[in-house]
Amino acid sequence: MRRTASRLTWADVTPKAAFLNRRSLIAGAAGLALASPALAKLSYVKSRYSTDAAPNSFEDITSYNNFYEFGLGKEDPAENAGALTVDPWSVAIDGLVEKPGNYDLADLLKGVALEERIYRFRCVEAWSMVVPWIGFPLSQLLDRVGVQPGGKYVAMETLVRPKEMPGQASAILDWPYREGLRLDEAMHPLTILATGLYGEEMPKQNGAPIRLVVPWKYGFKSIKSVVRISLTDKEPQTTWNMQNPNEYGFYSNVNPEIDHPRWSQATERRIGAGLFGGRQPTLMFNGYGDEVAGLYAGQDLAKDF
Ligand SMILES: Nc1nc2c(c(=O)[nH]1)N[C@H]1C(S)=C(S)[C@@H](COP(=O)(O)O)O[C@H]1N2
Ligand SMILES: [Mo]
């Protein structure tokens, strides 16, 4: 998990400045609005939980997205998310907590030490990326609001605002987008709330201003643009499980041995790795088994998929 001295630097792996320049040129020429014109720099420390894998480029990470609130296509979020208002932003924290409330994002982040977490990320559609997130452990927030003894699960919801989220004009999903974790998964040190990537505040298409990242689960568990966090005593409903319970279970741990009913999960295509280098084997728990396999000891992972 440790970063090696030989790791590439940002300057080597990302043409971010070039990309932003090129985008302004393109936007200027075509008269299009930039999705993310000015992202503020964040201060953060590096985390020991980072992988050594080389991050994908800023361009890959911000132009190939799943965010159905902005459309079904991978390029729709970058194109449509610019209209999303992310300030002011508040998060309702409710259910089985000691200090429920409607928390302003700035209050939630007060005194929080942000970390850079370079994580492998595996989508259920069998592609993957490596993303240098900026965030903090979800456990810190849960400790601060105090989980009552009966709290066994954490449920989260995304914003519903059809005026700014064109995908919500149709009922492709039962809005709001919902996700959930068992409390021990939520408290695990790998589970973070992310407020940025590549050292800057979160691009809108990646779930600004705050989103979940759970690196050992399929990408859809990592819910974007979170406005509600609820502690519950029962397993919460989750969007993809509601949509298609045969294909998407509550746990959704990356598992190369259990195929999706319509395609294999044995391999993945690393976005940006080129035509020939792209395909690689998918690892159990997305390679985070040493850290998280113990959470599922004694569970039948074919049943709890
Ligand atoms: N609210 C919301 N969160 C979401 C989604 C979505 O459609 N809506 N898509 C999920 C899926 S399927 C994936 S793979 C990841 C993609 O995150 P990224 O675009 O930052 O790579 O977001 C997840 N979080
Ligand atoms: Mo996904």
Side-chain angles (χ1 to χ4, degrees):
M1 299 289 282
R2 252 186 44 244
R3 293 154 60 93
T4 60
S6 65
R7 229 190 103 260
L8 297 172
T9 67
W10 298 149
D12 296 318
V13 297
T14 182
K16 185 170 71 170
F19 166 63
L20 289 174
N21 276 334
R22 188 152 48 81
R23 285 204 73 181
S24 356
L25 285 177
I26 294 166
L32 299 170
L34 276 176
S36 312
L39 298 173
K41 293 250 179 290
L42 300 171
S43 42
Y44 59 89
V45 298
K46 291 181 192 289
S47 165
R48 68 187 181 87
Y49 290 105
S50 286
T51 171
D52 291 336
N56 277 84
S57 69
F58 186 82
E59 175 164 13
D60 286 343
I61 294 169
T62 57
S63 63
Y64 189 90
N65 300 101
N66 271 336
F67 200 167
Y68 279 22
E69 285 84 341
F70 295 104
L72 299 179
K74 301 283 184 260
E75 289 163 15
D76 291 340
E79 197 160 306
N80 299 328
L84 180 66
T85 309
V86 296
D87 184 15
W89 193 272
S90 58
V91 181
I93 303 183
D94 57 18
L96 298 168
V97 289
E98 307 290 352
K99 294 176 224 158
N102 216 8
Y103 290 82
D104 192 69
L105 183 61
D107 289 341
L108 275 185
L109 297 179
K110 207 168 282 169
V112 167
L114 294 177
E115 299 171 22
E116 179 190 72
R117 297 278 187 109
I118 303 173
Y119 280 164
R120 294 179 298 271
F121 188 82
R122 170 57 159 82
C123 178
V124 73
E125 297 165 302
W127 52 265
S128 63
M129 289 202 203
V130 177
V131 183
W133 302 109
I134 307 290
F136 63 96
L138 172 59
S139 66
Q140 278 178 22
L141 183 144
L142 294 177
D143 284 342
R144 193 171 132 200
V145 297
V147 178
Q148 290 180 16
K152 300 275 183 275
Y153 296 89
V154 181
M156 296 192 188
E157 290 178 11
T158 295
L159 179 71
V160 179
R161 195 183 285 159
K163 282 205 172 104
E164 295 183 2
M165 297 177 134
Q168 289 180 338
S170 67
I172 33 169
L173 295 176
D174 183 359
W175 314 110
Y177 193 99
R178 279 165 260 229
E179 261 308 334
L181 298 171
R182 210 169 57 191
L183 187 61
D184 57 347
E185 299 175 322
M187 295 298 285
H188 192 278
L190 283 172
T191 303
I192 59 168
L193 286 169
T195 61
L197 57 82
Y198 263 116
E200 296 180 349
E201 65 186 20
M202 192 66 77
K204 291 178 181 178
Q205 57 268 44
N206 293 92
I210 187 163
R211 53 112 26 111
L212 183 69
V213 181
V214 193
W216 72 93
K217 291 180 182 272
Y218 291 119
F220 63 88
K221 297 297 280 184
S222 293
I223 181 173
K224 295 172 165 179
S225 304
V226 171
V227 291
R228 180 180 297 277
I229 300 176
S230 310
L231 273 290
T232 66
D233 57 355
K234 291 191 186 64
E235 189 179 284
Q237 287 203 299
T238 61
T239 288
W240 287 102
N241 180 249
M242 290 161 69
Q243 182 79 3
N244 195 335
N246 298 321
E247 298 188 2
Y248 308 104
F250 174 77
Y251 286 95
S252 303
N253 291 319
V254 174
N255 189 340
E257 289 157 20
I258 298 182
D259 286 340
H260 183 280
R262 290 180 285 138
W263 58 81
S264 164
Q265 294 292 12
T267 63
E268 63 200 61
R269 180 172 57 94
R270 179 61 56 79
I271 301 294
L275 279 180
F276 304 106
R279 204 99 219 158
Q280 56 190 72
T282 285
L283 301 176
M284 189 69 187
F285 299 113
N286 196 26
Y288 294 95
D290 286 351
E291 288 86 354
V292 302
L295 296 176
Y296 310 100
Q299 271 178 269
D300 176 355
L301 297 184
K303 197 171 122 274
D304 295 337
F305 65 97

